[in-house]
Amino acid sequence: MLNTISFEAIKTAVQQWLNMHWGPHLAFIAECILIGLLVIVFFAVLGLLLVFMERKVSAVMQIRLGPNRVGPKGWLQTSADTLKLMLKEGLTPDGADKFLFNLAPFLIMIAAMLIMVPIAFARNFQIWDINIGVLYISSIASISVIAILMAGWSSNNKYALLGAMRSGAQIISYELSAGVAVITMVMLTQSLSIQDIILSQQNGWWIFKGHIPAIIAFIIFMIAATAETNRAPFDLAEAESELTAGFHTEYSGMKFALFFLAEYINVFIVCAVAAILFFGGWMPFHIGNWEGFNHIMDYIPSSIWFLGKTFCLIFLIMWFRWTFPRLRIDQLLNLEWKYLLPISLANLLLMTIIVVLKWYL
């Protein structure tokens, strides 16, 4: 039986206390406000952690130390950088569309916050167990493209506009392969609900029992997810050597910080989705009828399983950055339209055959 050490008890206790003292209607409003504040705090902490992790991972791969002066072993370096960005003046360039220019960084963060809704961080711990969770995530993720195009066009800067157009073409193209990879796994579970997908892996993660199509879908999803988040080697939208900083060239202060934070939040989200689809999300690692081994695995809290899998995949994406050189824009689009998309469609057909014939475990 799965362990019960999770955030479920805390969630239940808070909900009962609010209903007891405030009544159902006010309790619901208080819960919404509390969830919003917790998501904002989570984003802030996660951003600090991922930036520090990025610096340390890149330092190890380049045989250097990374941040090691501010705070113990450099832990406060990202906090110092955040404080600097908060104190810097936010400038709006002449000729810019001020409304859209100021709206874009908030829109990209709102999209990131909305995507967190169906993500299951632990057993019975998610904001809303919507029955079309995977479709919801895919739909809301597309809003970030609008924010990037809005930022590039409203900046009245040719480099920002070129970066935004590149990003739009890149994200829209790679969404196709990522979407087909997701559909491939949905066919196995026959459900769009996040919880149903996780529970379907109780006797084994899909990456192991989904045969070769599941492995191919995972590889394609990780490549497409790296491109969708504008991470190297697909960072054409903000290529420093060509476009200064791409679509956020004219942004400074906290507006730039929001774009910077959104990139890392999106990396966490795509890795969380990959962990849910292919590695069982919060589900422990079980091996067949090994009751003793499985029982030991159940003692590890479900939240630790989820975060552990997610951060392993984040490390993989960071590894990509320091392994592969940046592609040209024509190479990037050729990779998607000539290779990834045809392979994805063929893989979907193969998975269809496996599901119809019930060859999966």
Side-chain angles (χ1 to χ4, degrees):
M1 185 176 178
L2 293 173
N3 73 70
T4 56
I5 304 174
S6 68
F7 296 112
E8 184 181 3
I10 300 173
K11 178 193 74 172
T12 305
V14 171
Q15 193 170 28
Q16 289 176 348
W17 188 89
L18 288 173
N19 284 324
M20 184 185 301
H21 291 82
W22 290 13
H25 299 295
L26 287 177
F28 176 75
I29 295 172
E31 286 174 10
C32 292
I33 296 172
L34 183 60
I35 289 170
L37 292 174
L38 288 175
V39 170
I40 292 171
V41 172
F42 175 72
F43 277 13
V45 174
L46 185 63
L48 293 174
L49 181 61
L50 290 180
V51 172
F52 183 79
M53 179 179 171
E54 173 98 79
R55 288 171 167 171
K56 285 296 185 181
V57 168
S58 62
V60 170
M61 292 186 176
Q62 296 175 345
I63 317 177
R64 56 186 178 84
L65 295 176
N68 64 342
R69 298 299 181 101
V70 184
K73 297 186 178 181
W75 272 100
L76 296 179
Q77 181 63 58
T78 49
S79 299
D81 293 338
T82 303
L83 181 62
K84 179 193 72 173
L85 288 171
M86 291 176 65
L87 296 176
K88 286 179 76 72
E89 182 181 2
L91 301 175
T92 302
D94 291 335
D97 187 317
K98 294 183 179 180
F99 175 72
L100 295 181
F101 183 83
N102 293 317
L103 178 62
F106 293 99
L107 182 61
I108 200 168
M109 284 302 299
I110 290 171
M113 291 182 70
L114 290 173
I115 293 175
M116 301 297 288
V117 169
I119 300 293
F121 289 87
R123 187 185 182 200
N124 296 324
F125 188 81
Q126 61 186 131
I127 296 175
W128 184 21
D129 184 17
I130 184 172
N131 60 358
I132 53 168
V134 174
L135 179 62
Y136 172 87
I137 290 172
S138 301
S139 303
I140 299 299
S142 303
I143 296 177
S144 61
V145 184
I146 300 173
I148 290 172
L149 291 172
M150 192 183 296
W153 181 84
S154 64
S155 295
N156 192 32
N157 180 297
K158 60 183 179 182
Y159 297 116
L161 181 59
L162 283 172
M165 296 303 292
R166 280 185 179 185
S167 182
Q170 175 177 323
I171 294 175
I172 291 171
S173 297
Y174 279 84
E175 270 184 351
L176 296 173
S177 291
V180 173
V182 170
I183 293 171
T184 302
M185 302 311 298
V186 167
M187 289 191 65
L188 280 172
T189 61
Q190 300 179 25
S191 174
L192 292 170
S193 169
I194 296 293
Q195 286 291 1
D196 288 348
I197 291 172
I198 294 173
L199 292 174
S200 69
Q201 301 175 72
Q202 190 164 359
N203 62 343
W205 302 342
W206 283 124
I207 193 70
F208 299 125
K209 65 177 185 177
H211 301 298
I212 293 176
I215 298 173
I216 295 173
F218 171 69
I219 294 171
I220 290 173
F221 181 84
M222 291 307 295
I223 294 172
T226 305
E228 282 196 74
T229 51
N230 288 323
R231 295 278 305 180
F234 305 105
D235 56 339
L236 273 297
E238 47 193 80
E240 296 87 354
S241 58
E242 306 166 27
L243 302 177
T244 311
F247 63 90
H248 54 62
T249 297
E250 295 291 352
Y251 285 89
S252 60
M254 277 306 296
K255 295 172 189 173
F256 168 78
L258 290 176
F259 278 112
F260 191 67
L261 178 61
E263 178 180 316
Y264 283 98
I265 297 300
N266 289 332
V267 170
F268 176 85
I269 289 169
V270 296
C271 290
V273 172
I276 289 168
L277 291 175
F278 301 97
F279 296 95
W282 51 261
M283 190 69 66
F285 178 63
H286 288 168
I287 300 178
N289 296 322
W290 294 21
E291 296 297 335
F293 176 83
N294 295 343
H295 189 62
I296 293 172
M297 293 295 101
D298 288 340
Y299 274 106
I300 302 175
S302 57
S303 55
I304 299 299
W305 277 110
F306 174 77
L307 292 175
K309 296 170 188 176
T310 303
F311 275 92
C312 284
L313 295 175
I314 291 172
F315 171 78
L316 181 63
I317 287 182
M318 291 180 178
W319 195 350
F320 290 163
R321 177 173 182 175
W322 305 108
T323 305
F324 302 106
R326 180 184 295 144
L327 277 68
R328 296 195 312 265
I329 187 67
D330 61 316
Q331 293 173 329
L332 181 142
L333 294 176
N334 280 339
L335 174 64
E336 162 62 15
W337 292 102
K338 293 184 178 180
Y339 298 99
L340 288 187
L341 187 58
I343 293 172
S344 299
L345 294 173
N347 191 53
L348 178 61
L349 178 60
L350 181 58
M351 182 62 83
T352 304
I353 295 171
I354 289 174
V355 171
V356 169
L357 298 178
K358 300 186 183 299
W359 286 350
Y360 58 93
L361 299 177

